[in-house]
Amino acid sequence: MLIHSARNTEFFFHEGRSDYLLVTFNEIALLADGKSYWGKPMIERKDITAIGVVSRKPDWFMPGDDIREFLARHGDILRGFKGDIVLMGHSMGAFGAIKFSKAFGATTVIASCPIYSLNPAMRGRTDRPDPPFYVEALHRDMHPRREDLGGRIYILRDPWHNWRRSFEKYRDMGHDALSFVDLPFTDHEAIKIFARDERLPTLIDLARSGDETALKAFVRQCRYASSLRLQIVAARRAVRHPASAYRIWTSNRERFSPPYMLLLSRALAATMPGEAQEIARHMVEVAPAFTPGQKQLAALMGQERQLADARPWQVT
């Protein structure tokens, strides 16, 4: 239920039966539409009491006036769960969960792939690529300060992510109750490892318990069981070890989603064009409505025809 509509942010509330309050922040792919918030389907199916914070645009919840307005008007919801409030988000939402953790009285924060700042001067030039949403007036000083942080913070990350320096910036802040939970070969999609009803509540419960060893063991188990890791390993290997990447696909083709088949086909096009076309054909067969897949197959077939036309005629 939409309970507060501010200038740039919508706030939802679902009254469930959980003994904790979950506060979620949206990612860029889910901007405000008057009815949706991040995690809504799982929250409602599991009947978790929750607040959904949803921005109208990719502003990283800055300058924060909407958050402060909401807390001033609806702080009674938080007071009812004082001592067991969980903040959670991915990417932009992960930044929001960390930045406003103390303001919400968080006891636990689960942040997946949180950039430290959109300001390159604050983030460090080692991170690539630069996010395209930087607005000087909004984001120059957006980075969290130590006094903004509250609760036990778990940062889920791929240690080889392009934004890895941003993640390290959080450690440099000196918040004692901050831990990294590594998910290698998940890139910017680490949260997808838990995209099942039974996984996300378990992740939340383990984070709330403070048992970091059990939490990391559970994360490791989910990562190995997920097809995401396999697909990203193949996509990364394709550049330097194309034959190895192709073998991963042939042994696990039913576990590859169309977007990752597309990435793999593109990566193999220069070195293994026949295999790249094979992957593209399979992609079109399993997902005929996936337009980028159709374009990739057409491009590879066109390339094959050009090579055939360029061959000299041989008279026998």
Side-chain angles (χ1 to χ4, degrees):
M1 177 176 65
L2 180 66
I3 61 170
H4 186 77
S5 183
R7 182 177 180 180
N8 294 311
T9 317
E10 294 178 346
F11 298 84
F12 295 83
F13 179 63
H14 175 74
E15 186 172 3
R17 296 182 297 174
S18 61
D19 56 356
Y20 65 92
L21 175 67
L22 177 63
V23 182
T24 70
F25 293 77
N26 67 296
E27 57 184 294
I28 290 176
L30 182 67
L31 297 177
D33 62 3
K35 56 185 178 181
S36 301
Y37 57 91
W38 195 80
K40 179 181 178 180
M42 183 277 295
I43 286 167
E44 295 187 351
R45 282 194 297 267
K46 294 296 183 179
D47 207 16
I48 298 170
T49 300
I51 293 172
V53 182
V54 193
S55 62
R56 301 187 194 279
K57 53 187 178 181
D59 57 9
W60 264 254
F61 312 99
M62 299 306 292
D65 296 343
D66 291 355
I67 302 286
R68 289 184 282 272
E69 177 185 306
F70 171 79
L71 292 173
R73 296 187 183 184
H74 298 277
D76 55 312
I77 298 175
L78 302 175
R79 286 189 288 272
F81 288 90
K82 187 176 181 180
D84 208 347
I85 298 174
V86 180
L87 270 60
M88 190 171 190
H90 170 68
S91 193
M92 180 175 77
F95 168 85
I98 294 175
K99 172 73 175 179
F100 301 105
S101 53
K102 188 172 183 179
F104 274 88
T107 48
T108 307
V109 178
I110 303 171
S112 168
C113 304
I115 197 169
Y116 177 73
S117 174
L118 295 178
N119 184 351
M122 293 304 304
R123 203 175 70 253
R125 284 290 182 179
T126 55
D127 278 2
R128 288 290 185 268
D130 285 342
F133 306 105
Y134 179 67
V135 177
E136 180 78 9
L138 280 179
H139 302 129
R140 183 181 59 187
D141 297 316
M142 66 178 281
H143 59 283
R145 275 71 170 177
R146 186 174 180 178
E147 59 267 24
D148 294 328
L149 308 188
R152 183 68 177 168
I153 299 174
Y154 296 100
I155 293 180
L156 310 182
R157 63 165 188 177
D158 182 336
W160 297 294
H161 193 293
N162 285 334
W163 293 355
R164 53 188 172 271
R165 180 58 192 139
S166 284
F167 306 151
E168 294 295 335
K169 284 275 191 177
Y170 285 106
R171 192 200 301 276
D172 297 343
M173 294 175 67
H175 183 68
D176 292 337
L178 185 147
S179 301
F180 288 120
V181 180
D182 288 345
L183 293 94
F185 299 108
T186 55
D187 202 32
H188 197 63
E189 300 184 90
I191 199 65
K192 288 187 177 180
I193 295 292
F194 311 100
R196 291 184 181 177
D197 279 3
E198 69 276 10
R199 286 183 180 175
L200 204 57
T202 301
L203 177 71
I204 293 170
D205 288 341
L206 287 169
R208 288 170 61 217
S209 75
D211 188 341
E212 188 172 323
T213 301
L215 173 66
K216 290 183 175 181
F218 173 72
V219 167
R220 195 159 50 246
Q221 174 188 345
C222 292
R223 185 174 71 89
Y224 278 109
S226 171
S227 60
L228 177 62
R229 181 183 71 95
L230 190 74
Q231 295 175 89
I232 291 179
V233 167
R236 289 186 180 179
R237 282 191 185 176
V239 177
R240 294 185 178 181
H241 306 284
S244 174
Y246 176 68
R247 284 196 299 271
I248 292 174
W249 181 76
T250 55
S251 301
N252 302 275
R253 62 179 67 196
E254 73 285 350
R255 301 182 67 185
F256 274 72
S257 64
Y260 278 97
M261 283 190 272
L262 177 64
L263 286 176
L264 189 57
S265 178
R266 286 174 174 172
L268 295 178
T271 54
M272 302 177 72
E275 288 78 1
Q277 189 174 133
E278 177 191 347
I279 294 169
R281 286 185 184 280
H282 182 71
M283 173 172 49
V284 170
E285 288 174 6
V286 300
F290 185 53
T291 304
Q294 296 175 348
K295 290 181 178 179
Q296 172 68 2
L297 179 58
L300 290 170
M301 293 178 69
Q303 181 182 4
E304 184 180 52
R305 283 194 294 270
Q306 288 175 2
L307 290 173
D309 293 342
R311 294 190 189 104
W313 287 95
Q314 292 184 354
V315 178
T316 58

